[in-house]
């Protein structure tokens, strides 16, 4: 696809994405859901799970392979700009009043998923055949537990921002706990990725771990 063909395809895809996001977001707002939930659901509708399964030709025409890296880069730029806006509005001085509860919430948000996820893999990992050959059980269990502890911090920040809770005590508590939770979880994830056996993969369920919602990856 040439640049002259890519440009109109890009703008058409953006218009469709924005229109569907607004439509789904407006529908979900009627049942009390924030717009970001509708936007996430709109991505599922326009992706291979719905549109690609029902109308694969339409999905391929709207989002050709050459266009997807461009949409990814634009999406990352928008995410960075939004997180900068959240950080700009966030007042660090409010953390002094919620430092202790934020630390406790963050600790629970890391420890509970790590313990439960590790226990799940330790209990059924070998019997269900989900472990990759040659990878120690402890390493796979730790990786799954840490992955479950990673939060969708941008989505949390978006909900708090849209609800006008950024400068409130509860908003500060949620953002502070979420930030610490994510920082600790990603450090632990990096550590588990550097463990012996990481180069051979963790298990047999291939899925991207960047979203924080997947179980494991294989490469």
């Amino acid at each position: 696809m040439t640049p002259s063909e890519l440009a109109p395809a890009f703008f058409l895809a953006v218009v469709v994405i924005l229109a569907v996001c607004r439509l789904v977001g407006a529908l979900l707002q009627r049942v009390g859901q924030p717009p970001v939930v509708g936007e996430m659901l709109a991505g599922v509708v326009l992706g291979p799970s719905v549109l690609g399964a029902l109308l694969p030709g339409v999905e391929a025409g709207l989002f050709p392979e050459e266009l997807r890296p461009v949409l990814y880069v634009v999406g990352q730029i928008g995410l960075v700009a939004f997180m900068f806006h959240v950080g700009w509005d966030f007042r660090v001085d409010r953390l002094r009043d919620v430092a202790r509860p934020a630390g406790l919430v963050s600790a629970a948000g890391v420890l509970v998923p790590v313990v439960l996820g590790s226990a799940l893999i330790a209990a059924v990992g070998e019997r269900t055949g989900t472990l990759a050959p040659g990878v120690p059980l402890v390493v796979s269990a730790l990786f799954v537990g840490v992955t479950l502890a990673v939060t969708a911090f941008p989505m949390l920040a978006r909900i708090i921002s849209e609800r006008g809770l950024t400068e409130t005590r509860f908003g500060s508590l949620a953002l502070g706990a979420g930030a610490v939770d994510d920082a600790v979880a990603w450090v632990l994830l990096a550590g588990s990725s550097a463990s012996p056996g990481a180069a051979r993969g963790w298990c047999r369920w291939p899925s991207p771990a960047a979203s924080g919602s997947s179980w494991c990856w294989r490469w």
Side-chain angles (χ1 to χ4, degrees):
M1 182 176 287
T2 64
S4 60
E5 296 172 333
L6 191 62
F10 169 76
F11 287 110
L12 175 61
V14 170
V15 170
V16 172
I17 291 172
L18 294 178
V20 175
C21 285
R22 291 298 298 270
L23 176 61
V24 179
L27 292 176
L28 289 184
Q29 277 186 299
R30 296 185 177 182
V31 292
Q33 297 300 313
V36 66
V37 176
E39 293 165 5
M40 181 180 64
L41 184 59
V44 176
V45 172
L46 291 176
S49 299
V50 178
L51 183 61
L54 299 178
L55 300 171
V58 175
E59 195 253 352
L62 282 175
F63 310 109
E65 290 293 337
E66 298 86 348
L67 180 62
R68 296 179 186 184
V70 180
L71 293 175
Y72 173 80
V73 172
V74 173
Q76 291 300 306
I77 293 174
L79 178 60
V80 170
F82 171 72
M83 294 307 298
F84 174 81
H85 175 69
V86 171
W88 181 270
D89 288 340
F90 185 69
R91 296 182 55 182
V92 180
D93 59 319
R94 292 184 178 273
L95 286 178
R96 299 172 184 173
D97 299 330
V98 297
R100 180 179 176 82
L104 294 175
V105 171
S106 177
V110 174
L111 290 177
V112 173
V114 168
V115 171
L116 293 180
S118 299
L120 176 65
I121 293 300
V124 302
E126 293 181 346
R127 295 200 299 268
T128 56
T130 56
L131 301 177
V135 179
L137 176 62
V138 175
V139 175
S140 296
L142 179 62
F143 176 81
V144 170
V146 172
T147 303
L148 290 175
V150 178
T151 63
F153 185 72
M155 193 168 184
L156 171 66
R158 176 77 181 277
I159 293 174
I160 292 175
S161 176
E162 289 177 345
R163 297 295 187 183
L165 300 174
T166 306
E167 297 185 1
T168 65
R169 175 182 173 85
F170 296 107
S172 299
L173 173 61
L175 287 176
V180 175
D181 188 317
D182 252 20
V184 172
W186 281 112
V187 170
L188 293 176
L189 185 61
S192 62
S193 299
S195 301
R200 291 189 291 270
W202 300 102
C203 60
R204 298 182 185 276
W205 304 339
S207 57
S211 66
S213 60
S214 61
W215 281 87
C216 50
W217 71 59
R218 182 180 178 86
W219 72 103

